[in-house]
Amino acid sequence: MLKLLVELQTELKELKADVRQLRVASVPPVQAVADEEEYQLPDGVVLPCSTLEELKLLDAKLKVDSSLRKHMLTLLMATGGSDLRDVVKRTMKTVFTNAVEVQLNWTGQGTKASFEALALKPIFEKAIRRTRATSGCDLSEIKREIIHYLKGSTDRHGGRNARRNPPPAQAQADN
């Protein structure tokens, strides 16, 4: 009986891996050449935002320009991905550099800016829900994944190693 359970567990793992591969294969590549105009942002809009000031400027433009909102939605839907975590990662990387991500959290607590208050939030949610791999996700799942992604931003691009291995003290450097 135990042997049967082990075999079933092994088969289940293999099936899960197959399903993951099929999901990745089913997401069509973006036709960059044919639809290039669709993904072009208006003049003055540069992505990814590399500073909070650029993000605030983009946010202000999004609040008043419905055409820009549509362009952003189209662009973010085209980023694709294999599952919710991958889609969130790709969309975040399209809009923000890591330098901006570390200055954001969902609610804006502490010294960080609020992602929830951005005009980008509903665009992100729509784009993620309209992506084939994540069309069945609800808003709470998307929120949870964005929060998880933002929490991990300080560890990306060498942040974790910098915390683990602090530079030697100045006194040691002088000796």
Side-chain angles (χ1 to χ4, degrees):
M1 187 68 160
L2 186 61
K3 187 176 179 181
L4 247 166
L5 286 173
V6 170
E7 287 177 20
L8 283 173
Q9 186 178 20
T10 304
E11 283 185 44
L12 183 62
K13 284 180 183 178
E14 290 172 3
L15 286 172
K16 283 182 179 180
D18 290 344
V19 167
R20 261 188 243 111
Q21 288 176 346
L22 287 172
R23 280 186 183 161
V24 171
S26 71
V27 177
V30 176
Q31 296 176 347
V33 178
D35 301 331
E36 193 169 312
E37 294 142 17
E38 271 187 64
Y39 305 116
Q40 292 293 322
L41 291 172
D43 291 338
V45 178
V46 178
L47 292 180
C49 295
S50 56
T51 64
L52 267 182
E53 289 74 30
E54 287 179 10
L55 175 60
K56 288 176 184 176
L57 182 64
L58 173 63
D59 196 54
K61 287 180 181 179
L62 285 168
K63 287 179 181 175
V64 296
D65 189 351
S66 64
S67 171
L68 178 58
R69 288 193 298 269
K70 288 178 186 174
H71 280 293
M72 286 292 294
L73 180 61
T74 304
L75 175 71
L76 296 179
M77 283 172 32
T79 58
S82 58
D83 59 11
L84 180 58
R85 180 162 288 176
D86 189 36
V87 173
V88 166
K89 180 181 91 172
R90 289 169 178 254
T91 36
M92 296 295 267
K93 290 287 178 208
T94 301
V95 179
F96 311 117
T97 61
N98 194 61
V100 173
E101 292 170 355
V102 298
Q103 297 178 60
L104 291 172
N105 64 30
W106 186 260
T107 58
Q109 288 182 338
T111 60
K112 295 190 176 191
S114 170
F115 181 85
E116 184 178 30
L118 294 175
L120 272 168
K121 180 193 142 234
I123 298 169
F124 265 79
E125 291 170 340
K126 273 185 188 176
I128 291 168
R129 291 187 81 188
R130 291 184 182 178
T131 301
R132 185 181 304 179
T134 56
S135 61
C137 293
D138 62 27
L139 295 177
S140 66
E141 291 173 308
I142 294 169
K143 175 184 174 181
R144 185 179 66 241
E145 197 56 47
I146 291 173
I147 290 170
H148 175 77
Y149 180 84
L150 290 173
K151 280 182 182 177
S153 63
T154 55
D155 287 343
R156 287 184 210 105
H157 301 288
R160 180 174 291 181
N161 280 337
R163 271 198 329 272
R164 285 184 184 161
N165 307 317
Q170 279 291 358
Q172 293 176 351
D174 293 337
N175 290 335

PDB file of all heavy atoms in Angstrom, residues 75-107:
ATOM      1  N   LEU A  75       0.394  47.379 -23.330  1.00  0.00           N
ATOM      2  CA  LEU A  75       1.798  47.025 -23.111  1.00  0.00           C
ATOM      3  C   LEU A  75       1.944  45.984 -22.012  1.00  0.00           C
ATOM      4  O   LEU A  75       2.655  44.987 -22.178  1.00  0.00           O
ATOM      5  CB  LEU A  75       2.602  48.278 -22.748  1.00  0.00           C
ATOM      6  CG  LEU A  75       4.065  48.046 -22.381  1.00  0.00           C
ATOM      7  CD1 LEU A  75       4.858  47.652 -23.607  1.00  0.00           C
ATOM      8  CD2 LEU A  75       4.648  49.278 -21.739  1.00  0.00           C
ATOM      9  N   LEU A  76       1.265  46.191 -20.892  1.00  0.00           N
ATOM     10  CA  LEU A  76       1.408  45.267 -19.763  1.00  0.00           C
ATOM     11  C   LEU A  76       0.766  43.910 -20.052  1.00  0.00           C
ATOM     12  O   LEU A  76       1.270  42.882 -19.597  1.00  0.00           O
ATOM     13  CB  LEU A  76       0.829  45.883 -18.495  1.00  0.00           C
ATOM     14  CG  LEU A  76       1.554  47.137 -17.997  1.00  0.00           C
ATOM     15  CD1 LEU A  76       0.884  47.689 -16.752  1.00  0.00           C
ATOM     16  CD2 LEU A  76       3.016  46.862 -17.746  1.00  0.00           C
ATOM     17  N   MET A  77      -0.313  43.888 -20.815  1.00  0.00           N
ATOM     18  CA  MET A  77      -0.926  42.607 -21.176  1.00  0.00           C
ATOM     19  C   MET A  77       0.022  41.791 -22.049  1.00  0.00           C
ATOM     20  O   MET A  77       0.023  40.565 -21.998  1.00  0.00           O
ATOM     21  CB  MET A  77      -2.243  42.837 -21.926  1.00  0.00           C
ATOM     22  CG  MET A  77      -3.377  43.234 -21.030  1.00  0.00           C
ATOM     23  SD  MET A  77      -4.904  43.742 -21.880  1.00  0.00           S
ATOM     24  CE  MET A  77      -4.935  42.785 -23.341  1.00  0.00           C
ATOM     25  N   ALA A  78       0.834  42.463 -22.829  1.00  0.00           N
ATOM     26  CA  ALA A  78       1.743  41.777 -23.748  1.00  0.00           C
ATOM     27  C   ALA A  78       2.948  41.160 -23.051  1.00  0.00           C
ATOM     28  O   ALA A  78       3.658  40.359 -23.653  1.00  0.00           O
ATOM     29  CB  ALA A  78       2.218  42.751 -24.823  1.00  0.00           C
ATOM     30  N   THR A  79       3.186  41.509 -21.784  1.00  0.00           N
ATOM     31  CA  THR A  79       4.366  40.957 -21.109  1.00  0.00           C
ATOM     32  C   THR A  79       4.231  39.465 -20.875  1.00  0.00           C
ATOM     33  O   THR A  79       5.218  38.748 -20.862  1.00  0.00           O
ATOM     34  CB  THR A  79       4.633  41.657 -19.758  1.00  0.00           C
ATOM     35  OG1 THR A  79       3.490  41.515 -18.928  1.00  0.00           O
ATOM     36  CG2 THR A  79       4.963  43.120 -19.957  1.00  0.00           C
ATOM     37  N   GLY A  80       3.004  38.973 -20.684  1.00  0.00           N
ATOM     38  CA  GLY A  80       2.766  37.534 -20.564  1.00  0.00           C
ATOM     39  C   GLY A  80       3.416  36.913 -19.349  1.00  0.00           C
ATOM     40  O   GLY A  80       3.828  37.590 -18.417  1.00  0.00           O
ATOM     41  N   GLY A  81       3.485  35.591 -19.365  1.00  0.00           N
ATOM     42  CA  GLY A  81       4.059  34.833 -18.274  1.00  0.00           C
ATOM     43  C   GLY A  81       3.398  33.481 -18.155  1.00  0.00           C
ATOM     44  O   GLY A  81       2.379  33.212 -18.802  1.00  0.00           O
ATOM     45  N   SER A  82       3.952  32.622 -17.321  1.00  0.00           N
ATOM     46  CA  SER A  82       3.460  31.253 -17.217  1.00  0.00           C
ATOM     47  C   SER A  82       2.486  31.053 -16.067  1.00  0.00           C
ATOM     48  O   SER A  82       1.679  30.140 -16.091  1.00  0.00           O
ATOM     49  CB  SER A  82       4.627  30.287 -17.064  1.00  0.00           C
ATOM     50  OG  SER A  82       5.382  30.615 -15.923  1.00  0.00           O
ATOM     51  N   ASP A  83       2.574  31.884 -15.033  1.00  0.00           N
ATOM     52  CA  ASP A  83       1.672  31.791 -13.887  1.00  0.00           C
ATOM     53  C   ASP A  83       1.605  33.175 -13.245  1.00  0.00           C
ATOM     54  O   ASP A  83       2.234  34.115 -13.712  1.00  0.00           O
ATOM     55  CB  ASP A  83       2.131  30.723 -12.891  1.00  0.00           C
ATOM     56  CG  ASP A  83       3.528  30.961 -12.338  1.00  0.00           C
ATOM     57  OD1 ASP A  83       4.103  32.056 -12.533  1.00  0.00           O
ATOM     58  OD2 ASP A  83       4.072  30.049 -11.689  1.00  0.00           O
ATOM     59  N   LEU A  84       0.825  33.294 -12.180  1.00  0.00           N
ATOM     60  CA  LEU A  84       0.608  34.603 -11.561  1.00  0.00           C
ATOM     61  C   LEU A  84       1.915  35.240 -11.116  1.00  0.00           C
ATOM     62  O   LEU A  84       2.164  36.416 -11.382  1.00  0.00           O
ATOM     63  CB  LEU A  84      -0.363  34.475 -10.382  1.00  0.00           C
ATOM     64  CG  LEU A  84      -0.676  35.774  -9.639  1.00  0.00           C
ATOM     65  CD1 LEU A  84      -1.268  36.822 -10.575  1.00  0.00           C
ATOM     66  CD2 LEU A  84      -1.612  35.507  -8.479  1.00  0.00           C
ATOM     67  N   ARG A  85       2.771  34.496 -10.459  1.00  0.00           N
ATOM     68  CA  ARG A  85       4.038  35.051  -9.968  1.00  0.00           C
ATOM     69  C   ARG A  85       4.888  35.581 -11.129  1.00  0.00           C
ATOM     70  O   ARG A  85       5.455  36.672 -11.059  1.00  0.00           O
ATOM     71  CB  ARG A  85       4.805  33.981  -9.186  1.00  0.00           C
ATOM     72  CG  ARG A  85       6.129  34.507  -8.644  1.00  0.00           C
ATOM     73  CD  ARG A  85       6.651  33.633  -7.562  1.00  0.00           C
ATOM     74  NE  ARG A  85       5.791  33.846  -6.403  1.00  0.00           N
ATOM     75  CZ  ARG A  85       5.881  33.190  -5.269  1.00  0.00           C
ATOM     76  NH1 ARG A  85       6.793  32.272  -5.115  1.00  0.00           N
ATOM     77  NH2 ARG A  85       5.064  33.441  -4.267  1.00  0.00           N
ATOM     78  N   ASP A  86       4.944  34.827 -12.212  1.00  0.00           N
ATOM     79  CA  ASP A  86       5.739  35.223 -13.369  1.00  0.00           C
ATOM     80  C   ASP A  86       5.139  36.456 -14.050  1.00  0.00           C
ATOM     81  O   ASP A  86       5.866  37.371 -14.440  1.00  0.00           O
ATOM     82  CB  ASP A  86       5.828  34.051 -14.343  1.00  0.00           C
ATOM     83  CG  ASP A  86       6.815  34.293 -15.465  1.00  0.00           C
ATOM     84  OD1 ASP A  86       7.869  34.922 -15.219  1.00  0.00           O
ATOM     85  OD2 ASP A  86       6.546  33.841 -16.601  1.00  0.00           O
ATOM     86  N   VAL A  87       3.828  36.498 -14.192  1.00  0.00           N
ATOM     87  CA  VAL A  87       3.169  37.649 -14.821  1.00  0.00           C
ATOM     88  C   VAL A  87       3.396  38.908 -13.985  1.00  0.00           C
ATOM     89  O   VAL A  87       3.713  39.975 -14.526  1.00  0.00           O
ATOM     90  CB  VAL A  87       1.663  37.380 -15.036  1.00  0.00           C
ATOM     91  CG1 VAL A  87       0.950  38.632 -15.519  1.00  0.00           C
ATOM     92  CG2 VAL A  87       1.462  36.240 -16.032  1.00  0.00           C
ATOM     93  N   VAL A  88       3.248  38.804 -12.672  1.00  0.00           N
ATOM     94  CA  VAL A  88       3.476  39.967 -11.798  1.00  0.00           C
ATOM     95  C   VAL A  88       4.925  40.432 -11.926  1.00  0.00           C
ATOM     96  O   VAL A  88       5.185  41.633 -12.074  1.00  0.00           O
ATOM     97  CB  VAL A  88       3.111  39.643 -10.325  1.00  0.00           C
ATOM     98  CG1 VAL A  88       3.649  40.708  -9.376  1.00  0.00           C
ATOM     99  CG2 VAL A  88       1.611  39.509 -10.172  1.00  0.00           C
ATOM    100  N   LYS A  89       5.859  39.505 -11.899  1.00  0.00           N
ATOM    101  CA  LYS A  89       7.275  39.869 -12.013  1.00  0.00           C
ATOM    102  C   LYS A  89       7.544  40.594 -13.335  1.00  0.00           C
ATOM    103  O   LYS A  89       8.190  41.641 -13.362  1.00  0.00           O
ATOM    104  CB  LYS A  89       8.149  38.617 -11.918  1.00  0.00           C
ATOM    105  CG  LYS A  89       9.641  38.905 -12.039  1.00  0.00           C
ATOM    106  CD  LYS A  89      10.445  37.640 -11.968  1.00  0.00           C
ATOM    107  CE  LYS A  89      10.619  37.128 -13.367  1.00  0.00           C
ATOM    108  NZ  LYS A  89      11.521  35.999 -13.499  1.00  0.00           N
ATOM    109  N   ARG A  90       7.030  40.064 -14.417  1.00  0.00           N
ATOM    110  CA  ARG A  90       7.271  40.674 -15.724  1.00  0.00           C
ATOM    111  C   ARG A  90       6.637  42.057 -15.844  1.00  0.00           C
ATOM    112  O   ARG A  90       7.250  42.979 -16.393  1.00  0.00           O
ATOM    113  CB  ARG A  90       6.731  39.767 -16.833  1.00  0.00           C
ATOM    114  CG  ARG A  90       7.538  38.516 -17.040  1.00  0.00           C
ATOM    115  CD  ARG A  90       6.768  37.558 -17.953  1.00  0.00           C
ATOM    116  NE  ARG A  90       7.497  36.366 -18.230  1.00  0.00           N
ATOM    117  CZ  ARG A  90       8.078  36.104 -19.406  1.00  0.00           C
ATOM    118  NH1 ARG A  90       7.995  36.960 -20.382  1.00  0.00           N
ATOM    119  NH2 ARG A  90       8.718  34.976 -19.570  1.00  0.00           N
ATOM    120  N   THR A  91       5.416  42.213 -15.342  1.00  0.00           N
ATOM    121  CA  THR A  91       4.771  43.521 -15.425  1.00  0.00           C
ATOM    122  C   THR A  91       5.483  44.543 -14.546  1.00  0.00           C
ATOM    123  O   THR A  91       5.668  45.686 -14.956  1.00  0.00           O
ATOM    124  CB  THR A  91       3.271  43.460 -15.042  1.00  0.00           C
ATOM    125  OG1 THR A  91       3.068  42.516 -14.010  1.00  0.00           O
ATOM    126  CG2 THR A  91       2.391  43.153 -16.180  1.00  0.00           C
ATOM    127  N   MET A  92       5.892  44.132 -13.358  1.00  0.00           N
ATOM    128  CA  MET A  92       6.609  45.060 -12.473  1.00  0.00           C
ATOM    129  C   MET A  92       7.931  45.491 -13.115  1.00  0.00           C
ATOM    130  O   MET A  92       8.282  46.672 -13.075  1.00  0.00           O
ATOM    131  CB  MET A  92       6.870  44.414 -11.116  1.00  0.00           C
ATOM    132  CG  MET A  92       5.607  44.096 -10.334  1.00  0.00           C
ATOM    133  SD  MET A  92       4.668  45.521  -9.848  1.00  0.00           S
ATOM    134  CE  MET A  92       5.323  45.807  -8.235  1.00  0.00           C
ATOM    135  N   LYS A  93       8.652  44.547 -13.698  1.00  0.00           N
ATOM    136  CA  LYS A  93       9.938  44.867 -14.337  1.00  0.00           C
ATOM    137  C   LYS A  93       9.756  45.781 -15.544  1.00  0.00           C
ATOM    138  O   LYS A  93      10.656  46.538 -15.893  1.00  0.00           O
ATOM    139  CB  LYS A  93      10.657  43.585 -14.777  1.00  0.00           C
ATOM    140  CG  LYS A  93      11.172  42.773 -13.622  1.00  0.00           C
ATOM    141  CD  LYS A  93      12.359  43.447 -13.019  1.00  0.00           C
ATOM    142  CE  LYS A  93      12.882  42.691 -11.838  1.00  0.00           C
ATOM    143  NZ  LYS A  93      13.553  43.561 -10.891  1.00  0.00           N
ATOM    144  N   THR A  94       8.591  45.708 -16.194  1.00  0.00           N
ATOM    145  CA  THR A  94       8.319  46.570 -17.339  1.00  0.00           C
ATOM    146  C   THR A  94       8.165  48.022 -16.904  1.00  0.00           C
ATOM    147  O   THR A  94       8.582  48.934 -17.610  1.00  0.00           O
ATOM    148  CB  THR A  94       7.036  46.105 -18.070  1.00  0.00           C
ATOM    149  OG1 THR A  94       7.220  44.761 -18.504  1.00  0.00           O
ATOM    150  CG2 THR A  94       6.718  46.981 -19.264  1.00  0.00           C
ATOM    151  N   VAL A  95       7.590  48.242 -15.732  1.00  0.00           N
ATOM    152  CA  VAL A  95       7.259  49.600 -15.302  1.00  0.00           C
ATOM    153  C   VAL A  95       8.282  50.198 -14.337  1.00  0.00           C
ATOM    154  O   VAL A  95       8.525  51.399 -14.373  1.00  0.00           O
ATOM    155  CB  VAL A  95       5.846  49.627 -14.669  1.00  0.00           C
ATOM    156  CG1 VAL A  95       5.488  51.023 -14.195  1.00  0.00           C
ATOM    157  CG2 VAL A  95       4.817  49.131 -15.662  1.00  0.00           C
ATOM    158  N   PHE A  96       8.884  49.373 -13.480  1.00  0.00           N
ATOM    159  CA  PHE A  96       9.770  49.897 -12.431  1.00  0.00           C
ATOM    160  C   PHE A  96      11.160  49.276 -12.516  1.00  0.00           C
ATOM    161  O   PHE A  96      11.291  48.099 -12.804  1.00  0.00           O
ATOM    162  CB  PHE A  96       9.234  49.556 -11.030  1.00  0.00           C
ATOM    163  CG  PHE A  96       7.795  49.880 -10.805  1.00  0.00           C
ATOM    164  CD1 PHE A  96       6.877  48.880 -10.540  1.00  0.00           C
ATOM    165  CD2 PHE A  96       7.354  51.187 -10.836  1.00  0.00           C
ATOM    166  CE1 PHE A  96       5.551  49.165 -10.317  1.00  0.00           C
ATOM    167  CE2 PHE A  96       6.021  51.481 -10.611  1.00  0.00           C
ATOM    168  CZ  PHE A  96       5.115  50.471 -10.360  1.00  0.00           C
ATOM    169  N   THR A  97      12.162  50.070 -12.177  1.00  0.00           N
ATOM    170  CA  THR A  97      13.483  49.503 -11.926  1.00  0.00           C
ATOM    171  C   THR A  97      13.502  49.061 -10.465  1.00  0.00           C
ATOM    172  O   THR A  97      12.625  49.441  -9.677  1.00  0.00           O
ATOM    173  CB  THR A  97      14.606  50.537 -12.154  1.00  0.00           C
ATOM    174  OG1 THR A  97      14.417  51.617 -11.240  1.00  0.00           O
ATOM    175  CG2 THR A  97      14.628  51.029 -13.586  1.00  0.00           C
ATOM    176  N   ASN A  98      14.513  48.314 -10.084  1.00  0.00           N
ATOM    177  CA  ASN A  98      14.605  47.862  -8.697  1.00  0.00           C
ATOM    178  C   ASN A  98      14.757  49.043  -7.739  1.00  0.00           C
ATOM    179  O   ASN A  98      14.279  49.009  -6.614  1.00  0.00           O
ATOM    180  CB  ASN A  98      15.755  46.875  -8.526  1.00  0.00           C
ATOM    181  CG  ASN A  98      15.658  46.140  -7.216  1.00  0.00           C
ATOM    182  OD1 ASN A  98      14.696  45.429  -6.966  1.00  0.00           O
ATOM    183  ND2 ASN A  98      16.646  46.348  -6.356  1.00  0.00           N
ATOM    184  N   ALA A  99      15.410  50.108  -8.204  1.00  0.00           N
ATOM    185  CA  ALA A  99      15.584  51.294  -7.351  1.00  0.00           C
ATOM    186  C   ALA A  99      14.235  51.890  -6.943  1.00  0.00           C
ATOM    187  O   ALA A  99      14.099  52.424  -5.839  1.00  0.00           O
ATOM    188  CB  ALA A  99      16.411  52.345  -8.086  1.00  0.00           C
ATOM    189  N   VAL A 100      13.235  51.782  -7.799  1.00  0.00           N
ATOM    190  CA  VAL A 100      11.899  52.275  -7.464  1.00  0.00           C
ATOM    191  C   VAL A 100      11.145  51.232  -6.643  1.00  0.00           C
ATOM    192  O   VAL A 100      10.450  51.573  -5.679  1.00  0.00           O
ATOM    193  CB  VAL A 100      11.109  52.643  -8.741  1.00  0.00           C
ATOM    194  CG1 VAL A 100       9.669  53.003  -8.419  1.00  0.00           C
ATOM    195  CG2 VAL A 100      11.792  53.788  -9.469  1.00  0.00           C
ATOM    196  N   GLU A 101      11.293  49.971  -7.002  1.00  0.00           N
ATOM    197  CA  GLU A 101      10.583  48.901  -6.285  1.00  0.00           C
ATOM    198  C   GLU A 101      10.900  48.896  -4.795  1.00  0.00           C
ATOM    199  O   GLU A 101      10.021  48.655  -3.972  1.00  0.00           O
ATOM    200  CB  GLU A 101      10.922  47.540  -6.888  1.00  0.00           C
ATOM    201  CG  GLU A 101      10.371  47.347  -8.272  1.00  0.00           C
ATOM    202  CD  GLU A 101      10.906  46.114  -8.969  1.00  0.00           C
ATOM    203  OE1 GLU A 101      11.794  45.440  -8.410  1.00  0.00           O
ATOM    204  OE2 GLU A 101      10.436  45.826 -10.076  1.00  0.00           O
ATOM    205  N   VAL A 102      12.153  49.171  -4.441  1.00  0.00           N
ATOM    206  CA  VAL A 102      12.516  49.159  -3.022  1.00  0.00           C
ATOM    207  C   VAL A 102      11.895  50.327  -2.258  1.00  0.00           C
ATOM    208  O   VAL A 102      11.867  50.315  -1.033  1.00  0.00           O
ATOM    209  CB  VAL A 102      14.056  49.150  -2.797  1.00  0.00           C
ATOM    210  CG1 VAL A 102      14.677  47.904  -3.380  1.00  0.00           C
ATOM    211  CG2 VAL A 102      14.704  50.396  -3.336  1.00  0.00           C
ATOM    212  N   GLN A 103      11.389  51.316  -2.971  1.00  0.00           N
ATOM    213  CA  GLN A 103      10.766  52.470  -2.329  1.00  0.00           C
ATOM    214  C   GLN A 103       9.240  52.367  -2.295  1.00  0.00           C
ATOM    215  O   GLN A 103       8.561  53.317  -1.938  1.00  0.00           O
ATOM    216  CB  GLN A 103      11.162  53.750  -3.070  1.00  0.00           C
ATOM    217  CG  GLN A 103      12.651  54.014  -3.024  1.00  0.00           C
ATOM    218  CD  GLN A 103      13.012  55.248  -3.814  1.00  0.00           C
ATOM    219  OE1 GLN A 103      12.531  56.334  -3.514  1.00  0.00           O
ATOM    220  NE2 GLN A 103      13.851  55.080  -4.816  1.00  0.00           N
ATOM    221  N   LEU A 104       8.703  51.200  -2.668  1.00  0.00           N
ATOM    222  CA  LEU A 104       7.257  50.990  -2.703  1.00  0.00           C
ATOM    223  C   LEU A 104       6.841  49.882  -1.759  1.00  0.00           C
ATOM    224  O   LEU A 104       7.585  48.927  -1.543  1.00  0.00           O
ATOM    225  CB  LEU A 104       6.807  50.576  -4.114  1.00  0.00           C
ATOM    226  CG  LEU A 104       6.885  51.588  -5.234  1.00  0.00           C
ATOM    227  CD1 LEU A 104       6.579  50.916  -6.569  1.00  0.00           C
ATOM    228  CD2 LEU A 104       5.930  52.736  -4.991  1.00  0.00           C
ATOM    229  N   ASN A 105       5.649  50.015  -1.196  1.00  0.00           N
ATOM    230  CA  ASN A 105       4.962  48.892  -0.578  1.00  0.00           C
ATOM    231  C   ASN A 105       3.477  49.090  -0.845  1.00  0.00           C
ATOM    232  O   ASN A 105       3.080  50.099  -1.437  1.00  0.00           O
ATOM    233  CB  ASN A 105       5.300  48.730   0.918  1.00  0.00           C
ATOM    234  CG  ASN A 105       4.864  49.877   1.786  1.00  0.00           C
ATOM    235  OD1 ASN A 105       3.886  50.564   1.520  1.00  0.00           O
ATOM    236  ND2 ASN A 105       5.610  50.103   2.861  1.00  0.00           N
ATOM    237  N   TRP A 106       2.652  48.158  -0.455  1.00  0.00           N
ATOM    238  CA  TRP A 106       1.241  48.224  -0.842  1.00  0.00           C
ATOM    239  C   TRP A 106       0.543  49.444  -0.245  1.00  0.00           C
ATOM    240  O   TRP A 106      -0.191  50.147  -0.935  1.00  0.00           O
ATOM    241  CB  TRP A 106       0.529  46.938  -0.427  1.00  0.00           C
ATOM    242  CG  TRP A 106      -0.879  46.889  -0.928  1.00  0.00           C
ATOM    243  CD1 TRP A 106      -2.003  47.172  -0.212  1.00  0.00           C
ATOM    244  CD2 TRP A 106      -1.312  46.578  -2.248  1.00  0.00           C
ATOM    245  NE1 TRP A 106      -3.108  47.052  -1.011  1.00  0.00           N
ATOM    246  CE2 TRP A 106      -2.715  46.679  -2.272  1.00  0.00           C
ATOM    247  CE3 TRP A 106      -0.649  46.220  -3.417  1.00  0.00           C
ATOM    248  CZ2 TRP A 106      -3.464  46.444  -3.416  1.00  0.00           C
ATOM    249  CZ3 TRP A 106      -1.400  45.976  -4.554  1.00  0.00           C
ATOM    250  CH2 TRP A 106      -2.787  46.091  -4.546  1.00  0.00           C
ATOM    251  N   THR A 107       0.760  49.711   1.030  1.00  0.00           N
ATOM    252  CA  THR A 107      -0.001  50.765   1.717  1.00  0.00           C
ATOM    253  C   THR A 107       0.749  52.082   1.863  1.00  0.00           C
ATOM    254  O   THR A 107       0.144  53.083   2.222  1.00  0.00           O
ATOM    255  CB  THR A 107      -0.405  50.298   3.124  1.00  0.00           C
ATOM    256  OG1 THR A 107       0.780  49.964   3.851  1.00  0.00           O
ATOM    257  CG2 THR A 107      -1.338  49.110   3.068  1.00  0.00           C
TER     258      THR A 107
END
